Amino acid sequence: MTAVEELSLPVRVAKLEQQMTMIAARIGPLDPLDENPKSIPSLAHPEIHQIALLTQELFREIPTVEVDADPSDADSSFVVFNVVCSGDFDASLALELEWHRRLEALKPEHVGDVRLNLIPQ
């Protein structure tokens, strides 16, 4: 059993909440979604906004953004861009690889702090 598994659920939840608070302080507040469902959310942090625009451009879907952490590493946290994708596996993989390539060109310092989650349709 790992150290994380040995912790009780309330302690693990408290640790995740603490990590989310630290990340939120680092990236700044997010604005509420715009009333137009086809527009990209107006995100307060310009770097998060740029990555959201990149994601929308490639996948033609408005991504949702959330903060997550690796349960096996209490000090890890990252921003996740969730996007629904349609099409075959090869097309989705090509888009994912292009997203990573463009992210590295746009914000190389955030490559490890940002993740893409493809949700098949």
Side-chain angles (χ1 to χ4, degrees), residues 8-81:
S8 68
L9 181 59
V11 172
R12 288 188 289 182
V13 168
K15 285 185 169 286
L16 286 173
E17 287 175 346
Q18 181 183 24
Q19 289 175 346
M20 290 176 62
T21 301
M22 290 176 8
I23 291 171
R26 190 172 67 202
I27 66 172
L30 301 178
D31 289 342
L33 293 176
D34 190 89
E35 292 298 319
N36 179 355
K38 291 295 182 188
S39 69
I40 191 79
S42 173
L43 303 174
H45 196 279
E47 292 178 343
I48 299 297
H49 183 75
Q50 286 180 318
I51 298 169
L53 288 173
L54 162 68
T55 306
Q56 183 182 19
E57 177 186 338
L58 284 173
F59 291 94
R60 306 288 183 229
E61 292 285 335
I62 299 171
T64 60
V65 182
E66 62 185 80
V67 176
D68 204 351
D70 182 348
S72 65
D73 182 2
D75 295 329
S76 77
S77 58
F78 43 86
V79 178
V80 180
F81 288 82

